[in-house]
Amino acid sequence: MADKIKSKVKALRLYRVFHRWLGLPLIVFFLIIGITSILLAWKKKAELLPPTLKTQVENGTWVLPSEMVQIGEHEMKKLGLDPEVDRIDIRPDKGIAKVTFKTHFTEVQLDGFSGEVLSIETRHSDWIEKVHDGSIVDYYWTGEEGAKLTYSTLTSLGLILMSISGFYLWYFPKRIRRLKQS
């Protein structure tokens, strides 16, 4: 019986040391992930994403996507920003299109029927998402996904190991008490 208790106490001490030393460097990453998770969950309420506007034209013909790209590029050139388009998000129910860009977090909202520029705003949620998943490093330096994959894998493994060691830090004292009572 005493040997079982000693082995549990020894394991508990090891888990405590492991948990402490693993937790110290990971706390920064867990805080970043936690804070950015809250911001992303509340992005519309916190106005981190430009509100989606609506068309003023009724029953029109859609502007071609190639024209939407040209309008977005033209607006970025006027602002002195890189005009390389990343994607177009078309919202048929609202009659608008959102043009976003590869090298910055600007969004141009266009009326899908008239081609009129409805708004030009920063998409804060996009850069917050890149901080959240670690791809901000790749975005500014490498252009690949190496940092994102490394960051996500290490923080996920760290969270898993912290959860397991945390469970045993909770469980072993209960187990030791039961063994002492028997």
Side-chain angles (χ1 to χ4, degrees):
M1 185 72 73
D3 288 339
K4 276 188 176 181
I5 293 173
K6 282 182 183 180
S7 70
K8 297 292 182 211
V9 169
K10 187 176 180 180
L12 183 61
R13 286 186 186 132
L14 284 173
Y15 277 116
R16 235 183 242 134
V17 169
F18 177 76
H19 193 82
R20 181 183 316 125
W21 288 108
L22 183 62
L24 284 173
L26 287 174
I27 195 165
V28 173
F29 300 113
F30 292 163
L31 283 171
I32 290 170
I33 290 171
I35 291 166
T36 55
S37 292
I38 291 168
L39 291 172
L40 289 170
W42 287 84
K43 67 184 170 190
K44 288 184 181 173
K45 299 281 186 205
E47 298 178 6
L48 298 172
L49 191 62
T52 303
L53 304 174
K54 283 189 167 188
T55 183
Q56 300 303 314
V57 178
E58 291 185 30
N59 301 326
T61 305
W62 274 89
V63 173
L64 293 172
S66 59
E67 292 177 56
M68 294 175 185
V69 169
Q70 288 175 343
I71 294 166
E73 289 173 341
H74 177 70
E75 292 299 319
M76 291 304 101
K77 287 177 184 172
K78 286 188 341 189
L79 293 173
L81 295 171
D82 184 359
E84 187 178 2
V85 172
D86 182 37
R87 67 182 181 274
I88 303 171
D89 178 9
I90 296 176
R91 305 282 176 100
D93 59 321
K94 299 198 180 218
I96 62 106
K98 297 179 179 188
V99 181
T100 59
F101 302 88
K102 285 191 177 182
T103 60
H104 50 89
F105 302 106
T106 308
E107 167 188 283
V108 176
Q109 280 192 49
L110 305 172
D111 187 302
F113 298 115
S114 68
E116 175 189 353
V117 175
L118 301 175
S119 75
I120 299 173
E121 294 189 49
T122 302
R123 293 175 59 92
H124 295 289
S125 64
D126 286 0
W127 67 261
I128 292 170
E129 186 177 324
K130 288 191 181 308
V131 169
H132 177 76
D133 69 10
S135 63
I136 195 81
V137 174
D138 297 321
Y139 182 79
Y140 283 113
W141 285 288
T142 66
E144 300 294 321
E145 286 192 333
K148 173 185 175 178
L149 293 173
T150 302
Y151 170 81
S152 296
T153 302
L154 291 177
T155 54
S156 297
L157 288 173
L159 184 57
I160 291 166
L161 292 172
M162 292 292 288
S163 298
I164 292 168
S165 65
F167 170 78
Y168 281 109
L169 288 174
W170 168 82
Y171 176 73
F172 275 170
K174 293 179 181 326
R175 183 81 178 121
I176 292 168
R177 268 187 239 116
R178 270 194 240 128
L179 286 171
K180 283 182 178 179
Q181 290 172 355
S182 345

